[in-house]
């Protein structure tokens, strides 16, 4: 195993502390989510010089003006998704692939789409080396991914100006969309449960700040 994929005692300890913090200070109560985050070595998504940043509860640059999401945000969105073993999930905004790994640890089949070619190539290359296998797609996820629809869950990991209708169409009945919606500076985490093809239940939750969702049905 190469130097960049070593899970030292020090990193394991820091990871444990972060998970404990999410549980006790940030009200993340979903045990499978906490266990998944305990398992995935977040420092693998950082250059070795920045390993000391990997278990702080902060977002961090991954190049191309994008970020690996803050651990709390990943935990929060994962908890909302209520992932069941075998769920077919569309993730919009692959980024570093850290969130993808959490979904895979929770037993989902993940289709993940990223619009920036360099990020897509890098993550598609790294994740299988860590033993994580998702379906990687490069393109504009604001239009969803029609070819593999319908999905049990859709997770958007970038800030959207509105809820794209097309994403609701690509959900199964009983399916759930989790999407941050708002202006470029702050978005409300929003969940939409698809009850029937014409009936939806929308819940608006806490405020976050994501990088923008850029595309046809976005900024
Ligand atoms: N969850 C990711 C992680 O753990 O690293 C972080 C995702 S980052 C906050 C958001 C990502 O969404 C960026 O990589 C960005 O390029 C991507 N993105 C923005 N608009 C997109 C779109 N229309 N389709 C696909 N990806 C998009």
């Amino acid at each position: 195993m190469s130097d960049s994929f070593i899970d030292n005692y020090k990193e394991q300890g820091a990871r444990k502390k972060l998970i404990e913090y999410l549980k006790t200070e940030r009200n993340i109560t979903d045990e499978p989510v906490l266990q998944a985050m305990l398992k995935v070595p977040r420092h693998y998504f950082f250059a070795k010089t920045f390993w000391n940043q990997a278990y702080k509860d902060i977002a961090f640059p991954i190049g191309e003006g994008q970020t690996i999401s803050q651990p709390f945000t990943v935990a929060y969105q994962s908890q909302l998704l209520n992932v069941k073993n075998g769920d077919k999930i569309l993730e919009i905004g692959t980024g570093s692939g850290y969130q993808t790994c959490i979904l895979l640890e929770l037993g989902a089949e993940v289709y993940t789409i990223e619009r920036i070619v360099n990020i897509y190539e890098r993550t598609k290359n790294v994740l299988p080396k860590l033993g994580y296998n998702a379906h990687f797609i490069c393109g504009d996820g604001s239009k969803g991914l029609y070819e593999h629809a319908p999905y049990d869950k859709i997770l958007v990991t970038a800030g959207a100006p509105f809820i794209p209708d097309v994403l609701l169409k690509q959900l199964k009945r009983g399916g759930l969309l989790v999407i941050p919606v708002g202006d470029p500076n702050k978005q409300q985490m929003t969940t939409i449960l698809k009850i029937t093809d014409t009936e939806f239940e929308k819940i608006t939750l806490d405020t976050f700040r994501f990088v923008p969702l850029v595309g046809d049905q976005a900024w």
Side-chain angles (χ1 to χ4, degrees):
M1 185 167 261
S2 86
D3 215 27
S4 48
F5 294 148
I6 289 171
D7 194 11
N8 290 312
Y9 186 70
K10 187 172 159 216
E11 280 73 42
Q12 290 174 23
R15 189 154 70 247
K16 251 188 177 161
K17 265 195 185 159
L18 171 66
I19 305 314
E20 199 48 37
Y21 162 82
L22 293 174
K23 194 173 170 172
T24 56
E25 309 281 326
R26 303 302 311 261
N27 201 25
I28 300 297
T29 52
D30 186 314
E31 205 46 47
V33 168
L34 293 166
Q35 287 307 315
M37 291 186 70
L38 198 54
K39 226 165 156 193
V40 179
R42 191 167 183 263
H43 61 285
Y44 287 175
F45 301 84
F46 291 64
K48 195 164 182 190
T49 8
F50 298 119
W51 279 13
N52 61 352
Q53 302 297 308
Y55 296 106
K56 293 182 179 169
D57 192 22
I58 53 171
F60 202 79
I62 57 169
E64 310 278 345
Q66 306 304 319
T67 53
I68 178 171
S69 302
Q70 184 182 344
F72 170 65
T73 305
V74 171
Y76 189 99
Q77 289 199 297
S78 303
Q79 185 164 274
L80 285 176
L81 272 183
N82 188 21
V83 181
K84 302 290 177 217
N85 204 28
D87 270 356
K88 184 172 158 189
I89 299 185
L90 174 64
E91 179 191 33
I92 299 167
T94 311
S96 71
Y98 175 70
Q99 169 77 76
T100 316
C101 294
I102 301 298
L103 299 177
L104 290 167
E105 281 289 351
L106 289 167
E109 179 185 15
V110 184
Y111 290 81
T112 183
I113 181 161
E114 170 59 53
R115 64 177 276 274
I116 298 178
V117 182
N118 286 343
I119 294 181
Y120 155 79
E121 295 279 3
R122 187 169 67 209
T123 303
K124 184 183 172 209
N125 191 28
V126 168
L127 258 58
K129 290 189 181 139
L130 304 175
Y132 290 106
N133 294 301
H135 306 275
F136 296 96
I137 298 101
C138 190
D140 175 9
S142 74
K143 296 186 283 190
L145 185 62
Y146 175 77
E147 298 88 305
H148 300 282
Y151 304 96
D152 294 295
K153 318 264 163 77
I154 299 179
L155 172 63
V156 182
T157 71
F162 56 86
I163 297 164
D165 250 3
V166 66
L167 298 187
L168 300 176
K169 290 208 172 79
Q170 292 180 23
L171 273 179
K172 289 182 188 171
R173 279 187 180 191
L176 186 72
L177 169 66
V178 174
I179 181 168
V181 186
D183 62 44
N185 294 320
K186 64 175 164 54
Q187 305 90 32
Q188 304 293 127
M189 194 64 76
T190 308
T191 65
I192 318 251
L193 178 67
K194 180 170 182 171
I195 298 164
T196 67
D197 288 349
T198 53
E199 231 184 316
F200 298 90
E201 189 180 287
K202 178 176 165 186
I203 301 176
T204 304
L205 299 151
D206 297 309
T207 301
F208 288 81
R209 184 176 184 170
F210 283 79
V211 294
L213 183 73
V214 177
D216 185 64
Q217 295 297 305
W219 294 107

